[in-house]
Amino acid sequence: MERERICTKKSCFSFDTIKRLSLYLRNLKRLKEKGIEVISSDRIIPLLNVSSAQFRKDLSYFGEFGKRGVGYEVGRLIKELEEILGTNKEWKIALVGVGRLGQALLGFEGFSKFNIKIVCAFDIDKKKVGKVIEGVKVEDMKKLKTIIKRKRVKIALLCTPPHSAQEVSEKLVAAGIRGILNFSPLILKVPSSVFVSNVDMACELESLIFFLKRNERKV
Amino acid sequence: MERERICTKKSCFSFDTIKRLSLYLRNLKRLKEKGIEVISSDRIIPLLNVSSAQFRKDLSYFGEFGKRGVGYEVGRLIKELEEILGTNKEWKIALVGVGRLGQALLGFEGFSKFNIKIVCAFDIDKKKVGKVIEGVKVEDMKKLKTIIKRKRVKIALLCTPPHSAQEVSEKLVAAGIRGILNFSPLILKVPSSVFVSNVDMACELESLIFFLKRNERKV
DNA sequence: ACGTGTGAACCGATTCACAGCA
DNA sequence: TGCTGTGAATCGGTTCACACGT
């Protein structure tokens, strides 16, 4: 939907490139676990749903990591990608809205694998405040600004109901949050310096339905 | 990532068009709740993160729904979009993997708003089998094929751990599933007739981190 | 010979700009 | 006049194809 571009001295690349690098990184880690030490762009792509040219081009925006005639050294490429993406050091994030989805995210293993740690959680519901879920204490929304500032958290997961999402996002921005992963089905209005990424399950499902309906008609 | 195209007699449009239509529909429903009956493309776009030309063009692939000089009648456009997307009738879906995320999805209100209903859930864990969560009974994986066939379910939410995702997806396809919303961080290999949509939270977060790291450096 | 790295070519999505209708 | 609908122009991401290094 919103199309971001990122420009370096080398050249300009799309934001999708970064998402793909993240995908590459995850799959390279799997290869490493399997003991594979070297891989060519042609042999890695079955895992990725991406062409080999795309794979090479994505990497080329950041440097030359392969050996011609050989391929890529898995361990090295993992290190380089972690460096590029910034996951070589731990990132602390906040979570707002400890509903069902929020609780699921508190226990999501995928984050810790990427050195991402939820360090604080907030909810408006007094019954939830004070509880400790997955090792994280749920705090009152009123303390949001203080705690986020003190812990120097820059990224938040927004899992509140849609009616309060805009209001909460403004509080987050005021508290110094610079990136929001938005799970609420609402387009947030935030300053352009703040980056929002939307995870919209209902839209995904609805587009799936469109596709199926079409194919049924064909049959 | 994977780029789908859909072609009608009228013309060809991208799969993103469909996701946007879903976004339009949701926001039109909000407008209707607020009592707004007519809206122009220029006035709806602040809700959407989309240009007004894009909005009009997306609609134009399916017909002429507006009045020149006036705008779009909200109620009519909602009906048309529901017709296009296929959410004017109820869709039954299945859920596999009743972990934290699976349970969150079982209670997700966003689905019911779109006439989407989870009618069966499966897990391999004997402790979970037999439990009723959000009105849905958790069944053993062994019964997956029988129940999905009997209920004629065509869409599944895949929320298993990555190591079993591929295997489960194959069972789903064998049971007649034609669309999978994949929450596991793994690219599934399925026949081309089956449509997979990936919801990859870790990739989203990691790309956010990249963005923040860059901006920090600028400061 | 093999596989990377990359400028050039291609292709498709978005935007422009305006004709057409209320 | 105001806003839709849309062919044409633009822009940018992906793919091609090959030079280059090992």
Side-chain angles (χ1 to χ4, degrees), chain B residues 33-47:
Chain B
E33 279 171 21
K34 283 186 191 165
I36 293 164
E37 288 178 1
V38 175
I39 191 132
S40 70
S41 59
D42 275 326
R43 274 181 298 133
I44 197 176
I45 51 152
L47 303 172

Side-chain angles (χ1 to χ4, degrees), chain B residues 5 14 20 51 53-54 56-57 61 67-68:
Chain B
R5 311 209 75 240
S14 79
R20 283 194 299 265
S51 74
Q54 177 93 76
R56 295 199 303 277
K57 177 133 273 197
Y61 294 123
K67 277 201 181 66
R68 291 166 199 237

Side-chain angles (χ1 to χ4, degrees), chain A residues 25 81-82 85-89 91 114-116, chain B residues 206 209:
Chain A
L25 174 54
L81 286 174
E82 285 182 334
L85 292 167
T87 38
N88 46 358
K89 63 162 192 155
W91 279 83
F114 277 129
N115 252 337
I116 295 164
Chain B
E206 208 163 26
I209 288 174

